[in-house]
Amino acid sequence: EGFSKDMIRETGFMQLGNRYHSEDLITGAYNGIRFQRSDVLIQDHRSNGKSSYTVTYFQGRWITMSSNKHFNFDLQLIQAGFGYTQKKSSIFTRATDRRHKVEFENEEFNNRFTCYCQNDQEAFYLITPHIMEALMNYTALVNGKVMIGFHNNLIHLAVETGTDTLEPSLWSPLTYEKDILPVKNEVTAITSFINQLHMERNIFGGTN
């Protein structure tokens, strides 16, 4: 079981090809924040009858986190090197769905991430200096490029790794270093992200 293609499509954050697969869904809660993670593979396969090729748009982990705060507008943060996003910044995009580029006062953050938003005021309200630091710390904990999206009360974290996780070998015994530690590190990255954002106490958790 995994995330449906319709869920990814509804965010409007990624290009979607004609091949989609998702599995290894994990659901949990930490400090009052519900989260889900799943492996996701998005590809586009083309054939002209004589030859064929497949382009991988995304392979890695997709994580969602709940929020008690409603986002009135979509916001997308793309780490340098993360490809095949759907920015919706074109003039051909419907005006109500269109995003535009915005920069923050933190030059280091701007160098690491490109932000596309629908509303500048909400972007500056959501992406505070503390949250910028938390996002930069999160990217240091994960092995891959990251895209962060704010959409419909959920925070989406897409981590492009180019690999399938949670797939222990059928031919060799489980080991801590090879099989257990990577899972532990992934869970630690999620819980550390929640701690650093203080989701359960202020902006996202809605409590003091």
Side-chain angles (χ1 to χ4, degrees):
E1 184 178 0
F3 289 132
S4 70
K5 187 176 182 179
D6 286 340
M7 189 277 280
I8 304 295
R9 177 187 292 111
E10 200 268 337
T11 67
F13 291 142
M14 284 295 303
Q15 296 183 40
L16 291 176
N18 51 27
R19 288 183 174 179
Y20 177 88
H21 180 72
S22 183
E23 62 180 4
D24 295 334
L25 178 67
I26 296 175
T27 298
Y30 178 73
N31 281 350
I33 300 299
R34 298 183 306 278
F35 67 87
Q36 291 184 307
R37 63 80 64 205
S38 183
D39 285 348
V40 170
L41 175 64
I42 302 171
Q43 295 178 314
D44 192 65
H45 180 77
R46 296 288 184 227
S47 175
N48 60 11
K50 295 182 179 180
S51 61
S52 63
Y53 65 93
T54 301
V55 177
T56 298
Y57 288 171
F58 177 83
Q59 184 178 21
R61 303 185 297 275
W62 197 288
I63 303 161
T64 66
M65 296 182 181
S66 67
S67 168
N68 291 331
K69 178 179 173 58
H70 178 72
F71 309 134
N72 295 306
F73 302 95
D74 287 354
L75 185 149
Q76 181 184 36
L77 294 162
I78 306 168
Q79 187 181 11
F82 189 105
Y84 296 102
T85 58
Q86 186 170 272
K87 305 177 183 70
K88 290 191 174 181
S89 58
S90 168
I91 60 172
F92 300 106
T93 302
R94 188 170 57 182
T96 54
D97 295 333
R98 193 178 304 153
R99 305 186 196 117
H100 59 272
K101 187 176 178 180
V102 64
E103 291 190 345
F104 302 94
E105 294 183 359
N106 188 321
E107 185 175 350
E108 180 183 2
F109 187 81
N110 291 333
N111 289 335
R112 295 194 190 187
F113 293 93
T114 302
C115 178
Y116 292 89
C117 70
Q118 294 175 327
N119 182 276
D120 288 12
Q121 184 177 0
E122 186 169 83
F124 287 113
Y125 173 65
L126 290 173
I127 310 302
T128 63
H130 180 79
I131 292 178
M132 292 181 198
E133 181 181 356
L135 290 173
M136 288 189 289
N137 289 339
Y138 177 78
T139 59
L141 289 175
V142 297
N143 182 25
K145 300 299 182 181
V146 176
M147 179 191 68
I148 301 97
F150 295 76
H151 176 77
N152 276 0
N153 289 351
L154 288 178
I155 300 171
H156 294 259
L157 300 173
V159 185
E160 169 67 61
T161 63
T163 60
D164 192 12
T165 58
L166 304 180
E167 299 294 335
S169 172
L170 296 176
W171 316 112
S172 60
L174 290 173
T175 67
Y176 180 80
E177 292 292 333
K178 178 173 63 72
D179 301 297
I180 308 301
L181 185 59
V183 178
K184 181 179 179 180
N185 288 341
E186 182 176 342
V187 174
T188 299
I190 295 173
T191 56
S192 296
F193 184 75
I194 293 174
N195 283 335
Q196 290 173 333
L197 288 181
H198 298 285
M199 286 180 168
E200 74 283 6
R201 287 194 296 240
N202 43 51
I203 294 178
F204 298 104
T207 58
N208 295 322

